Amino acid sequence: MSEPLLLAESLSVRFRRTTLASLIGRGRPDNVQAVADVHLAVGRGQSVGLVGESGCGKTTLGRALLRLIEPSAGRLMFDGRDLITLSESDLFAFRRRAQMVFQDPYGSLNPRLTVEETLSEVFSVHRLCPVSKIRERVRELMQRVGLSPDLSTRRPYSLSGGQCQRVGIARALAVGPELIIADEPVSALDVSIQAQILNLFETLQHDMRLSLLFISHDLGVVRHLCRMVAVMYLGRIVEFGPTEAVFESPRHPYTQALIAAMPRLDVEGSLPRRGLAGEPPSPVAVPPGCPFHPRCPEAMPVCRNDPVPEERVEGRVKVRCHLYPLPMHA
Ligand code: SF4
């Protein structure tokens, strides 16, 4: 099997969060473990969905994978190169190969720049083509993402959310990346526009053989768009595998609960129809043992005390749960 384009091993992100008490000298800042011991691979030309409830660390992980925030531990490889130790100039070159599309289509664009100026800037900064060719390249790019050339003189405030997100996608595509990490790119859009943007991602991913990490809390979207899926809970990947295998037979109790809570399901009777009880705990006070144990219908005494076992391969799926212990001889 060929080496994945992006590979994270034991990746963690910790940061200190200022609290009111710490500001007035009555306490210390919170230590937040936003991402913990994550193993994740994105193959060349592969689409991987990253799902989990709001606040589980998906966005932090996505940004850490592109070194938009610094990981605090672990290994991060891109095309066989260590990303953690890249120099500033190598990091700049890496940004041509891996890009991010952000959740907020308005907030991610400079309100003072027109569409043409936003896209031209990328060509100039990265010196992607002669200045005389930039306008032509911008028009091609706009066409590729379904934006009329008539919009080139518009600023974000006079565009719809869907149009702004197409500009954000065009800006990411301008450098000709091999990998795109899209962080909830449709969640801020009207439902009627969401399908159009998802179709655009599907077309681009297929036509350009892009590697795509698609972050979403919407399992239905990920099931439709992604070949692989990673399920995240409180900063940890608890299940990872081919999308159909995970949806047809989820192993981890958290994945089972997420899928059981989906509005429509065509696996009637094959899953316990239990909802997900309670709210996820704060990443500042992660429960000991398995972090999911306070909400888990399958929790056993071992789950409250012992760390979650290493990844176990169950069929085509990797899962971390005491229900699937490693064999004694492993
Ligand atoms: Fe539930 Fe235990 Fe598995 Fe955690 S390790 S998901 S508490 S069964």
Side-chain angles (χ1 to χ4, degrees):
M1 223 165 93
S2 69
E3 162 189 275
L5 182 63
L6 181 74
L7 178 67
E9 289 179 333
S10 304
L11 198 76
S12 296
V13 180
R14 273 184 298 276
F15 52 83
R16 308 194 93 194
R17 189 172 64 190
T18 307
T19 59
L20 188 58
S22 69
L23 278 176
I24 58 173
R26 296 264 173 92
R28 296 184 173 177
D30 287 335
N31 280 313
V32 180
Q33 177 86 53
V35 174
D37 195 22
V38 159
H39 300 257
L40 185 68
V42 182
R44 291 163 204 275
Q46 193 178 59
S47 51
V48 178
L50 178 61
V51 299
E53 292 162 290
S54 295
C56 73
K58 304 186 296 293
T59 294
T60 306
L61 174 59
R63 290 176 185 224
L65 291 172
L66 294 186
R67 273 201 59 196
L68 295 173
I69 55 177
E70 293 299 328
S72 33
R75 194 159 165 262
L76 188 54
M77 307 293 289
F78 182 83
D79 197 14
R81 281 195 77 183
D82 185 347
L83 276 186
I84 306 274
T85 58
L86 284 188
S87 64
E88 280 301 311
S89 60
D90 286 343
L91 198 54
F92 183 73
F94 165 67
R95 304 253 176 260
R96 275 191 221 152
R97 303 182 65 186
Q99 283 282 310
M100 188 137 191
V101 173
F102 297 92
Q103 178 177 9
D104 178 359
Y106 288 103
S108 64
L109 300 177
N110 184 334
R112 286 195 285 268
L113 299 186
T114 65
V115 173
E116 179 159 354
E117 287 164 347
T118 296
L119 300 179
S120 299
E121 191 178 53
V122 184
F123 287 104
S124 312
V125 168
H126 287 278
R127 298 193 178 147
L128 298 171
C129 66
V131 175
S132 59
K133 291 275 178 197
I134 290 181
R135 173 163 281 197
E136 189 185 323
R137 297 285 301 275
V138 165
R139 297 293 155 112
E140 285 168 9
L141 205 49
M142 289 179 67
Q143 202 169 23
R144 167 153 255 165
V145 299
L147 283 171
S148 160
D150 300 345
L151 300 174
S152 61
T153 56
R154 299 268 199 95
R155 291 186 168 76
Y157 67 83
S158 64
L159 297 172
S160 68
Q163 288 167 336
C164 279
Q165 196 54 291
R166 286 178 196 270
V167 177
I169 295 167
R171 182 178 55 186
L173 291 178
V175 293
E178 292 150 73
L179 168 72
I180 284 191
I181 296 184
D183 182 12
E184 300 268 13
V186 298
S187 61
L189 303 177
D190 289 348
V191 175
S192 58
I193 306 298
Q194 289 185 2
Q196 295 173 19
I197 299 295
L198 290 172
N199 286 342
L200 177 62
F201 271 107
E202 195 169 21
T203 306
L204 294 171
Q205 198 260 329
H206 179 264
D207 293 354
M208 300 173 71
R209 298 255 323 128
L210 278 172
S211 300
L212 176 67
L213 180 68
F214 194 91
I215 298 172
S216 180
H217 65 276
D218 187 331
L219 275 74
V221 164
V222 165
R223 185 175 197 180
H224 171 76
L225 193 66
C226 301
R227 203 165 73 77
M228 305 287 288
V229 63
V231 182
M232 194 168 194
Y233 185 76
L234 264 187
R236 288 114 180 119
I237 302 289
V238 297
E239 186 157 0
F240 179 62
T243 305
E244 279 320 303
V246 171
F247 276 81
E248 274 164 23
S249 181
R251 268 56 170 202
H252 196 281
Y254 179 59
T255 317
Q256 291 177 358
L258 282 183
I259 292 176
M262 283 174 75
R264 286 189 298 110
L265 200 61
D266 51 6
V267 288
E268 201 65 47
S270 67
L271 284 176
R273 304 287 296 178
R274 283 186 287 240
L276 198 48
E279 295 293 317
S282 160
V284 177
V286 176
C290 169
F292 188 54
H293 85 253
R295 305 171 80 193
C296 179
E298 311 280 349
M300 305 168 280
V302 66
C303 306
R304 295 183 185 91
N305 305 313
D306 290 12
V308 185
E310 289 302 304
E311 250 174 18
R312 166 81 190 269
V313 177
E314 282 284 310
R316 294 185 296 150
V317 172
K318 293 175 180 169
V319 60
R320 292 189 71 178
C321 170
H322 284 299
L323 291 172
Y324 309 94
L326 290 169
M328 292 300 284
H329 58 271

